[in-house]
Amino acid sequence: MTKRPPLIYVNWVDDYETGIPELDRKHQALIAELNKLLSKSDVSVNSELVSDAMTQVLKLTTQHFDEEEEILRKLRHPSLPDHLTVHQEFREGLAEIILSAVYSDP
């Protein structure tokens, strides 16, 4: 068991909005869950437990983004190209957070 420093938090920004209320609520819920997990990062935890939980968050986020991108494609939503970029940046940032949590020095 190691004590980890608090990690960064994800803040909701207007760039995440799709203009589709159901998808925007899901975005906010995902960010809230991620922040809940990140808020626990400063307690003593087993790195495997952190890795498993964060990997699950990454999996759920990826599934959500894939579903959302399909909806936006079907709607020919004008913000799709920008939204794809935001999704990719979010995935990369989340992967970086996971790696930082798992491989940081105790």
Side-chain angles (χ1 to χ4, degrees):
M1 302 269 256
T2 60
K3 183 138 177 121
R4 301 204 180 282
L7 298 173
I8 63 170
Y9 290 88
V10 179
N11 295 310
W12 176 261
V13 294
D14 291 342
D15 287 347
Y16 298 155
E17 288 186 16
T18 64
I20 302 170
E22 181 182 348
L23 293 178
D24 293 337
R25 280 191 299 276
K26 287 182 178 182
H27 280 164
Q28 292 171 345
L30 276 170
I31 288 172
E33 286 302 310
L34 178 59
N35 284 335
K36 210 184 304 183
L37 178 62
L38 292 173
S39 72
K40 296 177 186 340
S41 67
D42 62 343
V43 296
S44 294
V45 293
N46 177 304
S47 65
E48 186 175 337
L49 179 64
V50 170
S51 175
D52 291 347
M54 294 190 121
T55 299
Q56 182 65 12
V57 168
L58 181 60
K59 179 181 174 185
L60 292 173
T61 300
T62 298
Q63 287 174 338
H64 166 73
F65 285 171
D66 290 346
E67 291 169 5
E68 178 182 334
E69 290 165 8
E70 184 60 28
I71 290 169
L72 294 176
R73 277 188 192 90
K74 286 179 181 177
L75 294 174
R76 296 183 183 181
H77 201 280
S79 71
L80 179 60
D82 292 336
H83 217 74
L84 292 173
T85 300
V86 170
H87 282 180
Q88 186 59 34
E89 290 170 355
F90 192 91
R91 283 182 180 112
E92 290 170 2
L94 186 55
E96 195 172 304
I97 290 169
I98 292 169
L99 290 173
S100 174
V102 174
Y103 295 109
S104 65
D105 291 329

